[in-house]
Amino acid sequence: MKSGIKYTGIPSEEELRASPGAPSRERLEQGPVAFIECVQDIPCNPCEEACPFGAITVGEPITNLPELHGDKCTGCGVCIAQCPGLAIFKVHLHYTETTSLVEFPYEYYPLPRKGDRVPCGDRQGKYVADGRVVSVKNAKAHDGTAVVGVEVPKACYLEVRTICRKEWSRHG
Amino acid sequence: MAENRETIYICRCEEVTREEIEQAIRDGATTIAGVKKRTHAGMGLCQGRTCRKLIANMLACSRDPANILPSTFRPPVRTVRIDEIAQGDEE
Amino acid sequence: MKMTQVAVIGAGPAGLAAAIEVARAGGLVTVIDENARPGGQLFKQIHKFFGSREHRAGVRGFHIGEQLLAETERLGVEVLLDSPVYALFPDRTVGYVHGGREIFLKAEKIVIAAGAAENPLAFPGSTLPGVMGAGAAQTMINVHRVLPGKKVLMIGSGNVGLIVAYQLMQAGADVAALIEAATQIGGYGVHAAKIRRAGVPIHLSHTVKRALGKDHVESVEIVALDSHWQPVAGSEKILGVDTVCVAVGLTPLTELAWLMGCEFAFVPGLGGHVPKHDLNMETTVPGVFIAGDISGVEEASTAMEEGRLAGTACAEALGLLDGQKALELKTVIRERMNALRTGPFGEGRRRAKECLIGLSLEGQA
Ligand code: SF4
Ligand code: SF4
Ligand code: FES
């Protein structure tokens, strides 16, 4: 099967590496940072306006890919809920000695609660590892798009992008 | 026509099957109106809104789709009760 | 007989936007819609829109609908609901039915913004209860708050199929799979990524062979297609689902434009036969304008821009706006519209549109 967003609905490693929205490895080492997984030229730019630090630029035409400026990004996570494509994540590689923090948009009920242990999934919803929910942000300005932060084993910071909803509800 | 597991309804309002439309095309129908005259497909409650496109697709197998026009539209083009429009404008 | 300056048929995003522009210029405008509620399909769009700030990107569709309604109300636009338009006459009289009576409305200009209808798919079992249009399923979950079924197969990977699959899961249904006959996903990757993250497989080069069930869908058989679109024997798979949603495109609702004698062009990229129109959205019949999906199926954002364009052009033609002012307004609208028609997804539509407008202008020369 061919890989790539057009064939699988999942951005391939190459697509992510080539995209201006993914932070460099060096930047990831330095601290929390946005991870933009938007790899097609669609007419869209709310992320550009959402970032209070000017760390995302789309420019003209608005079909340009969003570009992340790692030096300006503070890792505040404000942009996550403003992206209609739910394509922005936040990654804090060295959250602790052994864990990373991944924040992702989440629009399903019930929402997890801080402290919950949840099964975390990758871009195809496949179980990767258990994680601990450290934050659930759902401010009015999010307009229904909650942002969930999970602490996961360091090895899977590039993989974890969601909660495995079905497994989770089965756990109760 | 006997219904079985393989029966495909093209016009569900008038219960016209794919085979009946194919037969109409073999009999010489080249337009949506031609199919309609032979099979009643498109004469149902929805007035062809559902089946028109499917019939056009079937005709397109043998003709350039650009030349497959819908049959002539006449009022009423929406489902209205006849007594509603028989009374006339009383305003 | 009732009189108005501009009659707008359809109270969806295109129609309301057109009416707002006419009213803003001081014109008398009447919007007529067959539904009980205005807003067209906007009120079932619970997702955030794309585009830029001027297109209200990041705002959920139904909020855009609320804003449009507030604006029409503020401007005192007359909106007639539960009023199907069943005929248009050459002297620009609109015939519609309301409260069991036929009413005629005479207008100086007409804007047809009737929208589009979902394309059907015929296969054995396609008339079984449980097989429905994706748009219908979306109305059920987002407007009426009823779940069409517990386990769904979605057919079609355009944005409608992807978005509705996602929303069905948000509403509590399980989506077993999404199948697509083509060799690639039709809609935006970001929409596809949402349902993939939720664990939904997307099977390309697949179609539905039959839906099975006694009085209702109980399962569905899917099959792979080869490069000639022929089913691959032995590749059949049975999925246990109770609902099949069909999202295989939309066709412009053009009956009223045919009735008016508008000239049509065949543009597959826009959904088939569409009325020819110029840069002002005016058809080949003077005084008759079109806007939204009827002029070629696109997104709600583009429909609103087309509505604004048609409304502004009507106001200009009625002498409510001077040429200079109208040109300024129209230029801004056209720029916004073109911004939405860029990139790999918009490019095709922009070219199809240009071809349509080119054909129309040719006819006039
Ligand atoms: S995380 Fe904060 S600083 Fe970084 S791009 Fe997003 S909004 Fe800007
Ligand atoms: S807002 Fe999201 S979908 Fe839109 S361009 Fe930015 S990252 Fe892509
Ligand atoms: S499906 Fe043919 S008339 Fe309704």
Side-chain angles (χ1 to χ4, degrees):
Chain A
M1 194 158 109
K2 290 195 215 166
S3 74
I5 189 91
K6 265 186 357 204
Y7 304 103
T8 60
I10 298 169
S12 66
E13 235 170 86
E14 295 78 62
E15 281 170 329
L16 286 177
R17 210 173 310 128
S19 114
S24 64
R25 174 74 208 198
E26 296 82 71
R27 180 60 190 81
L28 282 161
E29 291 288 343
Q30 286 161 17
V33 65
F35 204 118
I36 310 178
E37 306 196 354
C38 180
V39 299
Q40 283 176 324
D41 301 345
I42 52 177
C44 187
N45 70 3
C47 49
E48 180 171 37
E49 277 194 37
C51 175
F53 304 100
I56 306 178
T57 48
V58 175
E60 294 273 343
I62 63 168
T63 43
N64 288 344
L65 291 182
E67 183 177 354
L68 175 78
H69 305 283
D71 51 333
K72 293 190 187 151
C73 175
T74 64
C76 67
V78 161
C79 50
I80 301 174
Q82 302 305 319
C83 164
L86 307 192
I88 309 184
F89 305 85
K90 182 181 117 181
V91 174
H92 187 175
L93 173 56
H94 301 298
Y95 185 63
T96 69
E97 197 72 13
T98 54
T99 62
S100 296
L101 175 83
V102 181
E103 277 186 20
F104 47 80
Y106 193 76
E107 295 187 327
Y108 300 97
Y109 284 117
L111 286 176
R113 273 186 310 248
K114 209 175 143 176
D116 284 355
R117 276 202 83 72
V118 290
C120 296
D122 62 8
R123 296 183 183 85
Q124 38 184 320
K126 234 174 57 208
Y127 174 80
V128 179
D130 273 2
R132 190 176 60 90
V133 176
V134 292
S135 62
V136 181
K137 299 179 205 157
N138 196 13
K140 193 150 189 278
H142 287 194
D143 192 13
T145 307
V147 176
V148 175
V150 290
E151 183 184 9
V152 292
K154 209 167 245 180
C156 46
Y157 76 100
L158 277 180
E159 281 173 79
V160 165
R161 289 295 179 267
T162 191
I163 295 171
C164 297
R165 255 178 348 117
K166 285 186 227 161
E167 275 94 79
W168 180 41
S169 55
R170 244 171 262 142
H171 288 187
Chain B
M1 182 155 296
E3 177 173 332
N4 62 45
R5 259 161 62 105
E6 303 304 326
T7 306
I8 299 179
Y9 287 105
I10 297 294
C11 176
R12 54 198 302 165
C13 296
E14 294 289 302
E15 298 195 358
V16 184
T17 65
R18 187 186 177 98
E19 279 162 44
E20 287 166 319
I21 308 251
E22 278 165 357
Q23 186 58 47
I25 294 173
R26 276 194 299 273
D27 289 348
T30 54
T31 60
I32 292 182
V35 171
K36 184 171 171 178
K37 266 186 223 127
R38 289 174 172 84
T39 64
H40 288 194
M43 296 173 111
L45 188 67
C46 81
Q47 286 293 291
R49 270 201 182 186
T50 314
C51 56
R52 196 184 299 141
K53 182 95 178 181
L54 293 168
I55 297 169
N57 288 348
M58 289 179 70
L59 285 163
C61 295
S62 49
R63 291 185 71 209
D64 179 359
N67 295 325
I68 302 170
L69 304 176
S71 30
T72 318
F73 289 108
R74 293 181 197 84
V77 295
R78 301 296 290 125
T79 316
V80 292
R81 289 209 326 267
I82 203 70
D83 63 338
E84 292 177 322
I85 51 176
Q87 278 173 346
D89 189 0
E90 285 164 16
E91 299 238 319
Chain C
M1 186 175 319
K2 237 174 111 74
M3 312 275 260
T4 190
Q5 279 182 296
V6 181
V8 178
I9 299 155
L16 290 178
I20 287 171
E21 293 308 319
V22 176
R24 220 180 250 156
L28 187 64
V29 52
T30 308
V31 185
I32 315 168
D33 194 289
E34 62 185 357
N35 297 293
R37 265 181 93 181
Q41 309 305 308
L42 273 177
F43 282 96
K44 64 186 195 191
Q45 313 290 349
I46 60 165
H47 57 282
K48 293 177 180 170
F49 277 28
F50 289 72
S52 64
R53 177 191 289 241
E54 298 82 59
H55 307 113
R56 308 194 196 171
V59 180
R60 296 189 187 274
F62 67 98
H63 284 142
I64 296 178
E66 282 162 4
Q67 289 166 6
L68 277 181
L69 283 189
E71 186 76 0
T72 35
E73 226 160 82
R74 194 178 61 76
L75 290 164
V77 173
E78 182 180 26
V79 183
L80 306 169
L81 299 169
D82 289 314
S83 304
V85 170
Y86 72 91
L88 289 182
F89 302 98
D91 65 344
R92 285 187 227 106
T93 298
V94 182
Y96 64 95
V97 170
H98 180 75
R101 284 197 315 139
E102 176 190 40
I103 302 169
F104 294 110
L105 171 70
K106 177 103 176 60
E108 288 170 61
K109 310 281 170 204
I110 291 180
V111 180
I112 311 177
E118 299 197 83
N119 288 339
L121 198 62
F123 49 86
S126 62
T127 51
L128 273 177
V131 180
M132 65 184 77
Q138 197 183 23
T139 304
M140 288 176 75
I141 51 176
N142 297 344
V143 179
H144 304 298
R145 310 261 159 198
V146 269
L147 216 47
K150 288 204 177 81
K151 202 153 185 189
V152 184
L153 170 73
M154 178 64 69
I155 306 175
S157 70
N159 277 338
V160 174
L162 298 172
I163 290 173
V164 176
Y166 179 60
Q167 294 178 352
L168 279 162
M169 290 188 281
Q170 290 182 300
D174 189 8
V175 177
L178 184 147
I179 61 172
E180 164 64 58
T183 52
Q184 16 174 292
I185 295 169
Y188 291 174
V190 287
H191 288 313
K194 288 180 209 174
I195 68 165
R196 290 305 318 268
R197 282 204 293 276
V200 177
I202 296 180
H203 301 298
L204 299 177
S205 300
H206 270 74
T207 192
V208 55
K209 193 164 173 194
R210 59 166 71 87
L212 300 158
K214 209 166 146 286
D215 308 311
H216 196 278
V217 176
E218 287 161 23
S219 65
V220 56
E221 191 173 342
I222 61 171
V223 63
L225 296 171
D226 65 17
S227 53
H228 304 288
W229 306 86
Q230 294 308 309
V232 179
S235 68
E236 292 85 357
K237 251 188 284 200
I238 303 248
L239 303 176
V241 297
D242 58 11
T243 306
V244 177
C245 285
V246 180
V248 295
L250 299 158
T251 300
L253 284 173
T254 52
E255 291 99 326
L256 292 167
W258 286 106
L259 264 187
M260 267 321 250
C262 300
E263 277 177 40
F264 276 69
F266 181 75
V267 189
L270 296 174
H273 284 96
V274 282
K276 291 183 183 176
H277 65 81
D278 64 12
L279 286 165
N280 286 329
M281 306 306 300
E282 190 164 7
T283 65
T284 53
V285 177
V288 177
F289 297 73
I290 54 173
D293 278 350
I294 183 184
S295 79
V297 174
E298 292 186 82
E299 315 269 326
S301 326
T302 9
M304 283 184 279
E305 300 300 356
E306 285 194 339
R308 290 191 187 104
L309 201 51
T312 308
C314 281
E316 181 186 13
L318 289 167
L320 301 165
L321 288 173
D322 68 57
Q324 183 59 34
K325 177 82 186 137
L327 184 65
E328 277 167 29
L329 291 171
K330 289 192 292 192
T331 307
V332 177
I333 300 171
R334 287 189 190 121
E335 274 167 14
R336 281 202 306 257
M337 201 147 77
N338 286 336
L340 289 172
R341 288 182 183 146
T342 49
F345 293 93
E347 210 63 40
R349 274 177 308 170
R350 190 175 54 82
R351 255 179 278 127
K353 268 296 198 191
E354 276 168 5
C355 146
L356 175 64
I357 291 170
L359 283 173
S360 319
L361 297 179
E362 220 168 78
Q364 283 173 10

